[in-house]
Amino acid sequence: MNNVAESFIGKNTPRSDGFAKVTGTMQYTSDIIIPGMMYGALLRSPHPHAEIISVDTSAAEAMGAVCLTYKDINPVVYNERSVSIPAATYRDRTVLPNKARHFGEPLIAVAADTEELAFKAVKAIKVDYKVLDAVYDPAEAMKPGAPELYKTIYLGDKRIDVQNNIGVVRNIDEGDCDAGFAKADRIFEHEFELERIYHNQLETKCATCKPEPDGSLTVWATAQSIHANRQLLGRILNMPLSKINVKKLPFGGAFGSSIQVNTVTPICACLAMKAGRPVRLTSAREEDFYSHQKYPALFTVKMGVTNDGIITAAHVKALIDFGAHQVQPLPFMGCTAGWFASLYRYEGNIRFDGTAVYTNKTPCCAMQGYGNPQINFAIESMIDIIAEEMNFSPVDFRLKNYRGVGDEFWGQGPTIRSIIKSCGVEQSLVEGREKTDFDNRALPHEKTGVIRRGIGLARGFHTSGTAGPKEGEVIDYSSATIKINEDGSVDLLTPVTDHGGGTWDALKKITAEVLQVPLDMVGLSPAETMNTGYDVCTHATRGVYCGGAAVYHVAMKVKERLLEFAGRLMAEHHYNLEVMRNDELRQSVVRVKNFPSKFMTVGDVARQAQIMSWGTMAYTDSYRQRNCPPCFTTHFVEVEVDTRTGIISIPKVLIYGDCGVAMNPDLVKGQLVGSFNRGYGYTVYETMPLDENTGALKNNGLLVDYKTPTAMEMPRIENVEVVLCDTYEPSGPFGAKGIGEAALASVQAAITNAVYNAIGIRFHKLPITPEVVLKALKNKEQEAGK
């Protein structure tokens, strides 16, 4: 009995959902069709700031439509996102408000028998508004006399006053910054600014809600957390959670856009309960632009450096415009401080002063990094500025100051700290320097011609989850159920969602590896809130590291029971047995150690246990990681700048990713390449200009000048090299940690650093569109002529 199969952890395997996706048979929320279903539509605010004086829905109701206004809603004030502990969560939102605070905010919902009738009914509704002055600039919003969005909001259960539209202040002081700056030989200070962008996920927000005959509610929703949706709906509808069942479905990407309970879901639920019939409510792409956006940021960064290249202190001031509602800008600023603090050591002298402000714009939420790409752009640009002005090698300067193995790491903020146990930074910087011949790159003043080529680098990271050694600082745990069937196959039940990157396949691999079952013998069971334990959310790059750890923990418990049952059947102590996968039998077997001819298949053990009425080999439990290890990335990017058109193109890129042991290397590489595309767009294309007369976006739609890079703008595939670092994370399942959000963190700074190397112009604000580049080239030419 020696035909033992090799591990498939770290091996490329076909995606279990691949066939359904490429054939178009995968079922998403918008594919749910229920007999008797009605279709929802929303009346959205035509003003950025206005009070509703009166509403007349009689014409719409005469058409047979069911109408929902703020008067029909239980006035629960909530925050759409429920990751933080309740006492640290700001609340300012209701399902439907009587005051619009941004253009496009949902005010009234209707349901009708057809979509056409629903939209016709919306147009028939008459609303009288008292139009109020609006404010769009966060600095202006804080001035006395500026239009006020709120007078009071809630922090936990405590009602608090809002002063000058300031939603949150977060100040952090570590070490002794004043002494650190006094120790420095040079002090550098610069501003950096990043604009809002749209998530641009494949699937827009959708919810389908079905009232059941027993008074319960079944929900299908675009969701990164089915349990967060259930709990919030329970509060809003004043229903026991046992009466609300949220089904887990695949969804077409998110990039953080569904980290919270999406605005349409409570509206749809309330509409369905009023109608007494199933209702589906789907956002059009143009509406989705007003759902959530990426946080913009203005940073002032100050650093002190000694002549021998040690950063002695760093101070960041942050001004954040989070829009009309809070989707937790408080933890956003804590996380931003953590990303800044954990990139480099700064001799422990760190200061962060953050202010987050209400404006009459679309609310902001997490987007692939939750502040990390923003602050990374600022810090990694500063590192390049310092290296050039002080004549340091950009690679050596980073190597001298980075936080690596043995250093303290701030996971998601200053209260969640751990020690780095695995790190690919040195490998990526040292190898990348050699591969790109980085030290011998030409300097900007040495370049002439119409097309200027440059090379730049930046490094970044993200956490794998949000948990630290201490309990009660943040909600972060996962649950799983695993059951061995009577033929030796295995059922895996997990509430963890998959954004499309292959998380579910990774969890199946972990199950199969622990129980030594062939991968195709592990089934992913349909999951919903009524049959799964709690999972906080698939966010913070936690899917494999945290969700996978729960699966690993439960699988080990099932394995214990398997060995116990097999020992009783084989008259052996359980500690003398081992489980091995045998591909010839397409089974896993339990055999006696050092006596391979004495064995039973797992299927035989399960069947005999059933006959003996010992029970099913199954286990359900929750598990919390006590670490959130950083996963690192480094980008070496070549750019070409056309000085006639201002167009920035990228002919070549080298990407390093450190995710510990990759469950499926090809999927990790795909994540890194796809994220490079997103970061490329963030850097040179994407912007959301606002018409300040109306509060409306000038480009709310993919056909209305919202530009993102296509395959035509990306480097040719043979010029994209992705290297996975040789690391092992001891706290992760089979040595794995995350990669998702880290994949984007350092793209922006790497591109802008390369642009500087090409044309000698440092850009401190994104995006750097062709118009911006041409203007900067013209200004440089004029200054040179003086």
Side-chain angles (χ1 to χ4, degrees):
M1 192 60 210
N2 293 315
N3 186 14
V4 178
E6 294 183 1
S7 170
F8 38 65
I9 298 290
K11 303 293 193 303
N12 293 315
T13 51
R15 292 185 58 141
S16 56
D17 61 358
F19 181 82
K21 286 189 171 181
V22 300
T23 57
T25 55
M26 181 70 78
Q27 190 175 53
Y28 297 91
T29 306
S30 58
D31 296 317
I32 301 297
I33 298 176
I34 302 168
M37 185 174 76
M38 302 180 81
Y39 297 86
L42 296 173
L43 186 153
R44 293 175 176 268
S45 174
H47 307 291
H49 201 190
E51 293 178 359
I52 296 177
I53 304 302
S54 65
V55 176
D56 182 358
T57 59
S58 58
E61 290 165 346
M63 299 176 185
V66 176
C67 298
L68 188 77
T69 74
Y70 68 91
K71 294 179 180 180
D72 300 301
I73 302 295
N74 183 15
V76 173
V77 180
Y78 60 90
N79 190 310
E80 290 181 331
R81 190 173 181 220
S82 57
V83 173
S84 296
I85 58 175
T89 300
Y90 287 88
R91 298 186 286 118
D92 62 25
R93 183 190 287 271
T94 56
V95 176
L96 291 173
N98 62 359
K99 178 182 178 182
R101 293 178 172 88
H102 71 90
F103 185 97
E105 180 161 19
L107 300 180
I108 300 169
V110 305
D113 289 335
T114 66
E115 284 186 305
E116 292 82 359
L117 183 58
F119 287 118
K120 186 177 180 181
V122 166
K123 291 182 178 180
I125 296 172
K126 296 178 181 179
V127 184
D128 289 331
Y129 298 96
K130 178 184 177 182
V131 179
L132 305 173
D133 291 336
V135 62
Y136 306 113
D137 182 271
E140 293 297 320
M142 291 188 292
K143 292 180 179 178
E148 292 182 341
L149 275 75
Y150 297 87
K151 293 188 181 298
T152 61
I153 57 174
Y154 287 88
L155 175 57
D157 293 327
K158 181 181 178 183
R159 197 176 184 96
I160 62 172
D161 294 331
V162 178
Q163 301 292 335
N164 299 323
N165 291 312
I166 296 173
V168 178
V169 173
R170 187 75 186 270
N171 297 327
I172 299 163
D173 216 326
E174 180 92 359
D176 189 336
C177 267
D178 294 335
F181 284 123
K183 182 180 176 181
D185 295 302
R186 291 280 304 275
I187 293 177
F188 298 81
E189 187 168 359
H190 291 281
E191 277 193 356
F192 300 90
E193 186 174 359
L194 303 96
E195 294 189 8
R196 291 165 171 257
I197 63 171
Y198 171 58
H199 290 75
N200 203 23
Q201 74 286 355
L202 289 175
E203 179 184 2
T204 62
K205 316 297 191 310
C206 180
T208 302
C209 299
K210 179 191 177 190
E212 302 290 355
D214 64 354
S216 63
L217 181 70
T218 303
V219 178
W220 297 261
T222 309
Q224 291 177 227
S225 171
I226 56 175
H227 285 277
N229 277 258
R230 183 196 211 190
Q231 290 178 354
L232 182 55
L233 291 177
R235 283 185 56 214
I236 292 170
L237 298 171
N238 195 25
M239 291 172 62
L241 297 185
S242 60
K243 290 286 189 180
I244 300 173
N245 191 26
V246 182
K247 305 269 192 178
K248 187 178 80 170
L249 289 174
F251 57 103
F255 307 117
S257 65
S258 296
I259 193 172
Q260 63 288 316
V261 177
N262 286 315
T263 308
V264 298
T265 304
I267 297 173
C268 184
C270 293
L271 194 56
M273 295 302 284
K274 182 175 181 179
R277 290 171 56 185
V279 174
R280 185 173 75 197
L281 180 59
T282 305
S283 296
R285 182 63 67 180
E286 291 76 12
E287 293 177 301
D288 203 65
F289 267 69
Y290 292 105
S291 173
H292 302 95
Q293 298 166 5
K294 190 181 185 77
Y295 284 95
L298 175 64
F299 298 115
T300 302
V301 182
K302 180 180 178 182
M303 287 189 188
V305 187
T306 64
N307 287 331
D308 58 352
I310 299 297
I311 306 174
T312 60
H315 180 191
V316 169
K317 296 178 183 177
L319 179 60
I320 309 298
D321 164 15
F322 61 80
H325 296 288
Q326 295 207 30
V327 190
Q328 298 196 343
L330 175 62
F332 172 85
M333 289 196 295
C335 288
T336 301
W339 314 138
F340 143 60
S342 297
L343 261 174
Y344 296 99
R345 288 189 292 271
Y346 314 112
E347 292 199 328
N349 301 314
I350 300 158
R351 184 175 293 151
F352 179 88
D353 298 319
T355 304
V357 183
Y358 283 107
T359 63
N360 294 110
K361 293 182 182 176
T362 300
C364 294
C365 72
M367 180 177 174
Q368 203 173 5
Y370 203 39
N372 202 333
Q374 293 95 314
I375 192 63
N376 184 282
F377 165 65
I379 299 300
E380 283 297 279
S381 296
M382 279 289 284
I383 293 296
D384 255 37
I385 291 169
I386 295 168
E388 185 199 25
E389 292 197 22
M390 297 190 73
N391 200 28
F392 299 140
S393 157
V395 174
D396 290 336
F397 187 47
R398 287 173 169 85
L399 287 170
K400 184 171 282 192
N401 290 282
Y402 80 100
R403 294 197 186 210
V405 171
D407 288 325
E408 186 180 72
F409 168 72
W410 294 16
Q412 300 271 327
T415 62
I416 303 170
R417 304 190 183 207
S418 55
I419 301 301
I420 299 173
K421 299 175 182 177
S422 62
C423 175
V425 172
E426 187 168 353
Q427 177 188 347
S428 65
L429 288 172
V430 172
E431 282 188 9
R433 169 162 58 186
E434 297 301 316
K435 281 178 174 285
T436 61
D437 195 23
F438 189 82
D439 290 341
N440 295 319
R441 62 179 182 161
L443 299 176
H445 65 268
E446 300 171 327
K447 297 172 183 177
T448 59
V450 170
I451 306 295
R452 311 274 178 89
R453 177 170 288 205
I455 182 170
L457 81 91
R459 52 166 295 265
F461 70 93
H462 203 78
T463 58
S464 305
T466 66
K470 295 181 181 179
E471 297 174 349
E473 293 176 317
V474 69
I475 302 170
D476 193 327
Y477 70 90
S478 295
S479 305
T481 297
I482 294 175
K483 172 171 65 76
I484 296 179
N485 300 311
E486 288 68 36
D487 62 350
S489 64
V490 174
D491 292 325
L492 167 63
L493 187 62
T494 171
V496 173
T497 56
D498 189 332
H499 296 194
T503 302
W504 289 342
D505 279 339
L507 302 189
K508 288 176 61 176
K509 279 191 174 186
I510 292 168
T511 304
E513 190 70 16
V514 172
L515 298 176
Q516 287 294 294
V517 180
L519 189 58
D520 62 358
M521 294 282 279
V522 178
L524 190 66
S525 301
E528 54 195 35
T529 53
M530 283 186 173
N531 67 12
T532 60
Y534 178 81
D535 176 78
V536 61
C537 186
T538 303
H539 78 126
T541 313
R542 68 181 297 279
V544 171
Y545 180 76
C546 297
V551 169
Y552 181 90
H553 165 73
V554 170
M556 291 296 289
K557 294 293 185 181
V558 173
K559 182 178 178 180
E560 287 177 14
R561 195 163 197 195
L562 167 64
L563 294 177
E564 176 196 343
F565 284 6
R568 291 162 70 177
L569 292 168
M570 298 169 69
E572 294 281 351
H573 290 296
H574 66 88
Y575 50 76
N576 286 333
L577 302 177
E578 60 185 352
V579 185
M580 306 295 290
R581 189 170 88 252
N582 188 283
D583 286 343
E584 184 177 291
L585 296 176
R586 294 198 69 255
Q587 274 268 18
S588 55
V589 300
V590 181
R591 69 183 190 182
V592 178
K593 294 177 182 177
N594 300 318
F595 191 9
S597 61
K598 187 176 182 180
F599 71 92
M600 291 182 68
T601 68
V602 170
D604 287 339
V605 175
R607 282 191 293 273
Q608 288 299 314
Q610 184 184 63
I611 292 168
M612 302 295 290
S613 297
W614 292 346
T616 299
M617 291 178 287
Y619 196 80
T620 298
D621 204 359
S622 300
Y623 187 82
R624 173 185 176 271
Q625 286 280 34
R626 294 183 177 274
N627 206 336
C628 50
C631 38
F632 296 96
T633 53
T634 299
H635 288 84
F636 289 84
V637 179
E638 288 188 18
V639 302
E640 289 182 347
V641 181
D642 189 326
T643 58
R644 298 165 300 183
T645 64
I647 292 175
I648 298 168
S649 58
I650 299 179
K652 193 172 184 180
V653 60
L654 169 64
I655 308 171
Y656 280 85
D658 167 24
C659 63
V661 174
M663 288 288 161
N664 189 321
D666 277 355
L667 292 183
V668 174
K669 291 177 180 180
Q671 176 73 32
L672 288 160
V673 175
S675 294
F676 182 79
N677 174 277
R678 298 307 308 274
Y680 183 17
Y682 191 16
T683 308
V684 305
Y685 290 103
E686 295 175 62
T687 183
M688 306 189 81
L690 197 73
D691 183 338
E692 295 196 0
N693 293 319
T694 65
L697 293 170
K698 294 181 179 179
N699 59 346
N700 68 312
L702 299 180
L703 299 178
V704 193
D705 212 30
Y706 190 87
K707 295 184 175 67
T708 58
T710 68
M712 297 299 293
E713 284 74 46
M714 285 286 285
R716 294 177 62 86
I717 193 64
E718 62 267 23
N719 292 331
V720 178
E721 182 178 0
V722 179
V723 179
L724 302 185
C725 296
D726 303 318
T727 61
Y728 183 94
E729 174 51 47
S731 66
F734 297 107
K737 50 185 178 179
I739 195 63
E741 291 167 282
L744 180 69
S746 49
V747 176
Q748 298 74 217
I751 294 173
T752 53
N753 288 340
V755 169
Y756 177 80
N757 181 246
I759 60 176
I761 299 174
R762 174 71 57 183
F763 292 95
H764 296 252
K765 181 179 179 179
L766 299 184
I768 43 178
T769 61
E771 296 83 357
V772 171
V773 174
L774 287 176
K775 183 178 179 181
L777 286 168
K778 183 178 180 180
N779 290 342
K780 182 181 180 181
E781 186 177 307
Q782 289 175 345
E783 289 176 4
K786 291 181 180 177

